[in-house]
Amino acid sequence: MAIAEAALGALVWTDRPDEALPVLLRYAHSDRARVALYAAGRAARHVAPSRLVPVLTEVLTGPAKITSRKEAARLLTRHGPPRVMATLLDTYHHPDAHRDLRAAIVAAARQRVPAEASWTILRAAVDGSREERRAVLDASPDTIPHRHRPAYGALIVDACQATDREVRRTAFHQLGDWSPWLTGITDLVTDRLTDLDETMVPTEVARLLKTGGDDILATALARLVDRDTQDDHPGDPATDRPARRRIALLAHGAVIRSAHHPTSADRTALIEAARWLAGRPAFASTATSLLVDLGRLDNLDEIARLCADRPVLAARTAERVGTRLQNLRESPDPAALTDTITRLTGRGDLTNGLFAVALVRHGAGYGWKTPWRDLLIRLRRHPHADVREQAYTIDMSGAGHVSN
């Protein structure tokens, strides 16, 4: 069999590859169909469309293997005249057409979008099998002529509302690529962010915020807070405050979205949404963490006020401040950082003191040279006992090792 398949493949490497096409297509229904149709693809380049269309149409509509019929659809689209799309449309609508063949025809239609028959196929595919819908969603904007991108983007929007969960997920993942050619999708994206029946991960949230614009974060948060307020279920293993969980997820996604922004980018919409959430005491922890991660340690005064009279929140937020310092893309100016520590320490309260301790740990990277050692010593003399204790957990002799 290997020798026979090698011989089939060699037929197209003669001086007349066009003459090999009829021979190769005779194997379209056999066990050697895969090899024969692969070779037929090269032979088809050398055959005039007037000769090519009839023989490939015979394979497409005949009793050949599905693999052969799929390849015939591709070759007709690639090498045939525009009228072949009508033939493909008829085959697509045939009641006995295999779903894989239909999906191959949908993929072929993407290559001939100027033809009205292609749009008929594509629109039908959005309501078709999962394989057909995926064939629609596999397109990227750079494969579709510019003037047709708004119409194709509308197909992606339709797929976002499919009944198949996986198709919806894929469609929303693609939606951002098509958003430059779409209008009026903010409600669609907001509904997705707040649909508690849909599972989601933070990276999906970040992508949806990019698609719908950062302004939709505030709308989504407001909707979810209202939903949580109206939820009188105390929680159980089956469902435990789903709106609250989604709010935390959106905050995480917003942080990822912000991280993808250049340092100088405008984060006003994200920050304003976090401030709005901070005004709801039940969500202060999520809001303060979000504000820490959206800033560059230039908003600690605001965050400290939100933690006033909430010692547990202050302690958690201080840990977040320390992590944020470590994760900044660009290290802060040492002089500005030590000035911030001095200012926070001088206020004498718990929250600002804990923030100062979180920042002073950075002194290990400077070998506790002046002024870092002096700042830590001052924190060990802080008016608040909990701040003093936290400052003493830092071991300067261990190059920043924190004792238990």
Side-chain angles (χ1 to χ4, degrees):
M1 179 175 285
I3 295 174
E5 290 184 349
L8 283 174
L11 287 175
V12 296
W13 297 102
T14 65
D15 293 338
R16 295 296 304 274
D18 57 315
E19 295 179 351
L21 184 63
V23 178
L24 293 167
L25 294 182
R26 289 179 201 147
Y27 291 89
H29 64 284
S30 73
D31 292 338
R32 294 176 183 140
R34 180 184 58 83
V35 173
L37 268 292
Y38 179 81
R42 185 176 190 278
R45 304 174 199 168
H46 304 276
V47 179
S50 60
R51 290 177 50 210
L52 185 66
V53 172
V55 293
L56 287 178
T57 300
E58 185 177 348
V59 175
L60 175 69
T61 59
K65 287 182 173 291
I66 295 300
T67 300
S68 300
R69 298 179 71 188
K70 288 166 56 179
E71 187 61 24
R74 295 187 188 102
L75 293 176
L76 279 169
T77 306
R78 187 175 303 154
H79 302 292
R83 61 184 172 83
V84 301
M85 294 312 303
T87 302
L88 290 172
L89 175 59
D90 290 341
T91 304
Y92 175 83
H93 280 311
H94 193 284
D96 295 329
H98 192 278
R99 64 177 182 274
D100 289 344
L101 176 58
R102 283 196 176 107
I105 292 173
V106 174
R110 299 197 319 247
Q111 302 174 41
R112 291 289 186 93
V113 289
E116 184 55 37
S118 293
W119 286 107
T120 303
I121 293 168
L122 291 167
R123 293 187 188 104
V126 172
D127 295 319
S129 67
R130 178 178 290 188
E131 290 80 7
E132 293 168 58
R133 288 167 168 172
R134 284 178 172 169
V136 174
L137 296 172
D138 280 344
S140 59
D142 58 359
T143 64
I144 303 298
H146 194 278
R147 69 183 183 279
H148 294 293
R149 290 176 189 173
Y152 204 99
L155 297 177
I156 307 299
V157 171
D158 289 344
C160 287
Q161 301 167 78
T163 56
D164 188 310
R165 182 186 296 269
E166 289 307 312
V167 169
R168 290 198 303 273
R169 183 184 297 277
T170 302
F172 273 106
H173 185 79
Q174 296 284 77
L175 186 62
D177 295 336
W178 295 93
S179 59
W181 296 278
L182 296 171
T183 58
I185 61 172
T186 54
D187 288 344
L188 178 69
V189 177
T190 303
D191 289 345
R192 175 71 174 181
L193 288 171
T194 57
D195 187 345
L196 301 181
D197 292 327
E198 296 283 2
T199 58
M200 201 171 294
V201 296
T203 51
E204 289 180 77
V205 173
R207 189 174 182 89
L208 288 170
L209 289 174
K210 180 181 179 181
T211 300
D214 292 344
D215 288 336
I216 67 172
L217 178 61
T219 304
L221 289 175
R223 186 180 299 180
L224 290 166
V225 167
D226 182 63
R227 196 171 300 173
D228 184 73
T229 302
Q230 297 178 31
D231 185 357
D232 57 3
H233 190 277
D236 57 37
T239 177
D240 190 9
R241 313 300 298 192
R244 174 176 287 273
R245 311 307 164 197
R246 181 58 60 87
I247 287 169
L249 182 70
L250 295 194
H252 190 173
V255 172
I256 296 174
R257 167 72 175 139
S258 175
H260 290 162
H261 279 315
T263 302
S264 59
D266 184 7
R267 293 171 172 78
T268 301
L270 297 177
I271 292 171
E272 288 303 318
R275 284 173 174 161
W276 179 89
L277 188 63
R280 279 71 199 161
F283 299 95
S285 180
T286 299
T288 54
S289 295
L290 180 54
L291 284 168
V292 170
D293 290 336
L294 293 177
R296 292 182 49 79
L297 305 178
D298 50 359
N299 57 348
L300 294 183
D301 292 346
E302 174 185 6
I303 297 169
R305 288 193 295 271
L306 295 172
C307 298
D309 301 320
R310 298 191 61 173
V312 174
L313 177 59
R316 290 176 179 170
T317 307
E319 292 180 5
R320 195 83 173 201
V321 168
T323 302
R324 179 62 176 151
L325 176 58
Q326 295 173 357
N327 293 338
L328 285 173
R329 293 180 195 168
E330 302 171 2
S331 297
D333 175 65
L337 185 56
T338 54
D339 285 347
T340 298
I341 296 170
T342 299
R343 186 181 73 253
L344 295 174
T345 303
R347 290 179 179 154
D349 64 281
L350 173 66
T351 300
N352 284 284
L354 292 176
F355 287 6
V357 172
L359 297 177
V360 83
R361 296 178 190 278
H362 200 60
Y366 296 92
W368 296 110
K369 296 178 181 177
T370 304
W372 294 98
R373 174 182 175 275
D374 296 337
L375 291 171
L376 179 56
I377 295 299
R378 184 180 175 190
L379 283 165
R380 290 177 176 178
R381 297 168 180 166
H382 194 274
H384 203 290
D386 288 340
V387 175
R388 296 196 299 271
E389 182 175 352
Q390 279 297 103
Y392 273 114
T393 64
I394 300 174
D395 182 1
M396 286 187 284
S397 67
H401 169 73
V402 180
S403 62
N404 293 323

